[in-house]
Amino acid sequence: MSHSPKPTYMEPKSLKGFRDLLPAQVAVRQQILAIARQEARLGGFQEIATPFLEYSEILLGEGGETDKQVFRFKDHGDRDVALRYDLTMPFARYAAAQRAEISLPFRRLQIGEVFRGEKPQKGRYREFMQCDLDIIGADTLLADAEIIAGLMTILHKATELPMTMKLGHRQILVALIQKFLPVASTSEAQSQVLIALDKLEKIGAAAVSELLCKADGVTKESADQLLAAVGQNFEKTAQLLKSDEVISVEIDRLAKLQNMLAGLRVPKFKIEIDLRIARGLAYYTGVVFETTLDDLQDMGSICSGGRYNQLTSRFSSLEMPGVGGSIGVDRLLAALEELGKVPAQSPSLVFVAVADQSAAAYAFEMVAELRKSGISSEIAVTEQKLGKQLQQANKKNILWVIVIGEQEAQNKVFNCKNMTTGSEDKDLKRTDLIAYFQKHLNLKG
């Protein structure tokens, strides 16, 4: 007697750095995005969308080390294309291409997945969602403040966790580099120094000093002097650069920005000036910022950004200075998970259990009526004993269960059980269905 071969199955694995999201994770993500959209609307921001895929030349050249992490390939038409690594570079192209359709200054909200071929680690993925706020067409203190205040409000309302935003400034930092490392006079050399400084939080001052010393003409003494200068009190830094009129204006602007943001008094939100904040991306020209959760600083920044005044120059001769910031939605979600802040989710408010299949049509009518009134509900779609159906509702964390059997269908009534207290109301009138749940769910009639 022959036996058929044992079937083999493909392993249901995901690519490294990519992940599936469970319903509870998606629900929390959607809550964060709903808050972002609401706050953006209140601030006059308009939501846009751009493609996942761009010509490589659009994305490359401004990202510093990020250029190395771009997913780049040839498409079926042999075109050199790449997946977007952030939402800012595509926005620069968008602003130039759609200039006739948008009114400057333009306030932009964009939400979408981005892709980076970096090493996956805690809170870092190769595909992740970002939520961006930008103002393009204005180079003012108020534009900077509007962006950062909007991001602060979204983060506070989404988490209510203590966090710290550190403000830096690219021009001030470059001025310090030129003062202590005059050999780093070219933009390429300065970019290398900025990339090294951007690693301070990850590898520490000693390791960064070693990186700086690898540049031609940089001594350990000058590298350490630079590190000491960027780490000192902001007022002392201002004194170091007071002879530079242009930088003095930027120092004054940064101090005013800190005061404006502190004046908002967002609970559990600290604002500090820290000139060590470099931001590795090459396109920043002014204020830069990074935000970390006080209870989980090793997760890294959950929100960052800054001013970029020349980003559209590769596409247009029209000056469109901009400022923007991004919330790393999936990193924030990972942090909330680690802190135990992702609650169990109930897919529905009401579960309708069918004790007898002869009553299925009657039960289905009730589900339809509940949904029509805006009450999320589901009906048992498998023929199981009542006890199994109640277990199903419990497993889904559904609080209210309507029980329908043959007698209930004949008498046009229903029974309702509270799965937390175990209390049950019996023989309720069919016509009182919506009023009953409006009362118990505190819904408006």
Side-chain angles (χ1 to χ4, degrees):
M1 184 176 179
S2 62
H3 295 279
S4 53
K6 186 178 179 180
T8 57
Y9 299 101
M10 184 184 298
E11 182 183 351
K13 60 183 178 181
S14 300
L15 286 167
K16 190 175 182 180
F18 296 79
R19 61 177 187 157
D20 298 320
L21 294 180
L22 295 170
Q25 295 171 309
V26 173
V28 173
R29 180 200 260 186
Q30 292 304 317
Q31 289 169 9
I32 295 170
L33 297 182
I35 291 168
R37 286 190 166 101
Q38 172 65 13
E39 291 304 313
R41 282 194 296 270
L42 290 174
F45 290 83
Q46 296 176 277
E47 188 166 359
I48 68 164
T50 59
F52 286 81
L53 204 61
E54 299 271 4
Y55 284 105
S56 293
E57 63 187 20
I58 299 291
L59 303 180
L60 300 175
E62 294 282 357
E65 286 196 326
T66 306
D67 279 1
K68 303 172 186 176
Q69 301 165 359
V70 171
F71 285 104
R72 182 181 182 183
F73 54 94
K74 292 290 184 73
D75 70 3
H76 294 313
D78 202 36
R79 288 173 286 260
D80 186 3
V81 297
L83 288 169
R84 63 191 185 192
Y85 66 81
D86 70 3
L87 299 177
T88 306
M89 287 305 301
F91 177 51
R93 179 198 56 75
Y94 175 97
Q98 306 299 333
R99 175 63 189 89
E101 304 299 324
I102 60 175
S103 176
L104 297 181
F106 179 66
R107 295 169 179 249
R108 163 255 200 174
L109 165 70
Q110 187 170 0
I111 295 167
E113 282 87 357
V114 299
F115 305 84
R116 294 185 188 176
E118 61 182 340
K119 183 180 179 181
Q121 51 189 294
K122 185 170 70 173
R124 290 181 181 270
Y125 311 103
R126 288 176 171 170
E127 176 192 23
F128 54 96
M129 179 168 284
Q130 288 188 331
C131 172
D132 282 24
L133 293 182
D134 292 79
I135 297 177
I136 197 164
D139 182 6
T140 64
L141 172 63
L142 278 173
D144 296 344
E146 277 276 71
I147 290 299
I148 297 176
L151 295 168
M152 287 171 60
T153 304
I154 292 168
L155 288 170
H156 170 66
K157 289 189 175 182
T159 70
E160 295 188 350
L161 293 171
M163 59 189 76
T164 300
M165 178 180 284
K166 294 184 177 181
L167 304 176
H169 197 289
R170 183 58 68 83
Q171 281 182 259
I172 299 172
L173 188 52
V174 168
L176 287 170
I177 292 170
Q178 292 172 339
K179 183 176 182 66
F180 291 101
L181 304 180
V183 292
S185 56
T186 66
S187 59
E188 183 179 348
Q190 289 169 9
S191 178
Q192 291 176 341
V193 173
L194 288 167
I195 289 170
L197 291 174
D198 197 44
K199 297 178 179 179
L200 266 169
E201 286 288 330
K202 297 178 184 177
I203 64 176
V208 169
S209 178
E210 288 184 18
L211 286 177
L212 293 174
C213 289
K214 291 180 180 179
D216 291 341
V218 176
T219 65
K220 187 177 188 306
E221 181 183 7
S222 60
D224 289 345
Q225 286 177 340
L226 173 63
L227 291 172
V230 298
Q232 70 183 357
N233 180 282
F234 182 56
E235 285 72 20
K236 290 183 179 179
T237 301
Q239 286 298 313
L240 282 174
L241 301 173
K242 65 181 181 180
S243 61
D244 189 322
E245 293 183 7
V246 173
I247 298 302
S248 291
V249 170
E250 295 303 323
I251 288 172
D252 182 60
R253 176 165 163 171
L254 184 58
K256 287 179 178 177
L257 177 61
Q258 182 192 27
N259 290 334
M260 288 177 71
L261 297 173
L264 296 176
R265 293 183 174 85
V266 176
K268 301 181 182 180
F269 212 115
K270 291 182 292 185
I271 304 290
E272 301 174 353
I273 292 179
D274 186 344
L275 294 178
R276 293 173 296 181
I277 302 301
R279 302 296 298 142
L281 294 168
Y283 52 64
Y284 290 118
T285 60
V287 63
V288 289
F289 55 90
E290 291 186 348
T291 313
T292 55
L293 293 170
D294 293 353
D295 297 333
L296 205 61
Q297 294 187 35
D298 63 339
M299 183 67 76
S301 176
I302 58 167
C303 173
S304 58
R307 174 158 288 283
Y308 47 86
N309 282 356
Q310 282 91 47
L311 199 57
T312 61
S313 61
R314 63 165 68 182
F315 307 114
S316 170
S317 60
L318 180 67
E319 289 189 10
M320 287 189 276
V323 60
S326 175
I327 295 173
V329 179
D330 286 335
R331 187 177 296 183
L332 180 57
L333 175 59
L336 293 173
E337 288 177 309
E338 184 160 335
L339 293 170
K341 300 294 184 179
V342 177
Q345 299 290 324
S346 300
S348 304
L349 294 172
V350 181
F351 185 92
V352 179
V354 184
D356 191 304
Q357 288 302 306
S358 65
Y362 176 66
F364 196 62
E365 288 177 11
M366 299 185 77
V367 170
E369 185 175 349
L370 287 166
R371 292 170 181 167
K372 189 176 180 181
S373 298
I375 301 170
S376 60
S377 55
E378 60 184 272
I379 190 169
V381 293
T382 53
E383 296 184 19
Q384 295 177 315
K385 291 182 178 180
L386 181 58
K388 290 284 188 181
Q389 295 181 51
L390 296 180
Q391 288 177 14
Q392 188 181 149
N394 251 337
K395 190 174 182 180
K396 293 185 174 186
N397 298 302
I398 301 177
L399 176 59
W400 299 96
V401 176
I402 292 175
V403 180
I404 300 296
E406 184 180 7
Q407 290 297 316
E408 287 75 27
Q410 288 178 356
N411 298 327
K412 301 300 180 185
V413 296
F414 67 96
N415 303 326
C416 190
K417 183 180 179 70
N418 184 306
M419 299 300 288
T420 298
T421 65
S423 61
E424 189 171 5
D425 293 321
K426 294 186 176 182
D427 296 328
L428 300 166
K429 292 182 180 180
R430 166 76 171 77
T431 52
D432 293 336
L433 175 67
I434 303 305
Y436 179 86
F437 283 106
Q438 285 175 341
K439 175 184 175 181
H440 286 83
L441 298 172
N442 295 316
L443 300 175
K444 294 181 179 180

